[in-house]
Amino acid sequence: DVKVTQSSRYLVKRTGEKVFLECVQDMDHENMFWYRQDPGLGLRLIYFSYDVKMKEKGDIPEGYSVSREKKERFSLILESASTNQTSMYLCATRLAGGPTDTQYFGPGTRLTVL
Amino acid sequence: QQQVKQSPQSLIVQKGGISIINCAYENTAFDYFPWYQQFPGKGPALLIAIRPDVSEKKEGRFTISFNKSAKQFSLHIMDSQPGDSATYFCAASKKTSGSRLTFGEGTQLTVNP
């Protein structure tokens, strides 16, 4: 079974703080993704990574950056947290070139920025 | 710009009934259409998926119907059960985008006993 873990289930931060969200997968998947989930907006792609040290902007990258130094770990960084970044953040992985295009999701981190 | 539009936003069905969720897409280059199911406190998980070379795919009580000319696809849940109560997301992707998914807005399904 694919296991995708996220460092925190709940996080409360102050406006202006630098925030790190960590995602770790144990299945040697090349592709990793960061989404945010908001009611009525579905899941929106922030950044994704095809492989180690590779990253591409998704649909809403403003205010975020990412780091992928090791294959199993993909970090999302909020350089200066703002209240409009209060959201559920979901990490996902995908096996590149696999028989399906399935993405496997972690349980999510609910971030509140005060 | 929402490239995949999903309806309804919420749906209440009686046990044993049929649940139907609809999605419409704009980009004709999309070539993979999955549905994800999300229970409270969990991440979404793939439920069923279809490619545009077929018009229907069935897995147990879950069926995807696909209409390429109308750029629409739908999820049908037959004999809906209270355990099906969850949020459902449709999505679409194209090979040339590296399989990055574009999701619909989500539908919260409640199946009453």
Side-chain angles (χ1 to χ4, degrees):
Chain A
D1 274 358
V2 176
K3 187 157 187 188
V4 182
T5 57
Q6 295 185 229
S7 51
S8 306
R9 294 301 301 272
Y10 300 94
L11 209 53
V12 179
K13 295 292 181 181
R14 297 258 174 220
T15 301
E17 281 193 75
K18 191 168 185 176
V19 181
F20 293 86
L21 302 182
E22 299 281 326
C23 176
V24 178
Q25 51 110 349
D26 68 353
M27 283 302 293
D28 206 34
H29 285 181
E30 291 83 2
N31 303 161
M32 296 188 75
F33 307 82
W34 274 107
Y35 296 90
R36 63 177 283 176
Q37 179 179 0
D38 300 288
L41 295 177
L43 280 69
R44 293 179 291 166
L45 183 64
I46 305 171
Y47 266 97
F48 61 107
S49 169
Y50 285 121
D51 211 331
V52 178
K53 296 193 186 294
M54 298 174 70
K55 60 185 179 185
E56 285 200 29
K57 293 180 180 179
D59 299 317
I60 52 166
E62 296 78 18
Y64 303 94
S65 62
V66 290
S67 172
R68 184 128 181 245
E69 295 296 318
K70 293 185 177 181
K71 192 172 188 178
E72 68 270 18
R73 190 179 297 269
F74 192 33
S75 302
L76 180 69
I77 304 156
L78 286 65
E79 297 291 343
S80 177
S82 64
T83 54
N84 62 13
Q85 292 178 310
T86 291
S87 186
M88 171 69 83
Y89 289 88
L90 290 161
C91 174
T93 74
R94 175 184 168 268
L95 178 64
T100 72
D101 286 327
T102 305
Q103 290 191 16
Y104 297 88
F105 284 83
T109 295
R110 185 165 293 281
L111 173 67
T112 301
V113 182
L114 301 176
Chain B
Q1 178 187 0
Q2 192 73 28
Q3 291 194 54
V4 179
K5 295 198 68 65
Q6 183 172 345
S7 63
Q9 189 171 1
S10 63
L11 181 62
I12 299 175
V13 173
Q14 291 299 118
K15 179 182 175 182
I18 302 173
S19 304
I20 301 174
I21 305 170
N22 300 298
C23 282
Y25 62 97
E26 298 171 2
N27 191 337
T28 55
F30 285 145
D31 58 10
Y32 175 69
F33 303 89
W35 285 88
Y36 280 77
Q37 179 189 53
Q38 184 181 31
F39 292 106
K42 304 283 188 183
L46 178 69
L47 181 64
I48 187 172
I50 197 169
R51 295 201 183 270
D53 51 344
V54 296
S55 60
E56 187 175 281
K57 184 173 181 180
K58 184 175 181 179
E59 290 184 1
R61 296 183 294 109
F62 300 91
T63 300
I64 299 179
S65 296
F66 183 78
N67 186 329
K68 190 173 182 178
S69 60
K71 293 188 288 185
Q72 294 175 348
F73 58 110
S74 59
L75 176 69
H76 296 237
I77 306 175
M78 310 301 287
D79 186 27
S80 298
Q81 299 296 312
D84 297 331
S85 297
T87 301
Y88 293 80
F89 294 96
C90 63
S93 71
K94 52 186 178 178
K95 280 197 183 70
T96 53
S97 71
S99 298
R100 50 182 285 183
L101 290 170
T102 299
F103 283 87
E105 298 93 331
T107 297
Q108 187 161 347
L109 172 66
T110 302
V111 181
N112 288 328

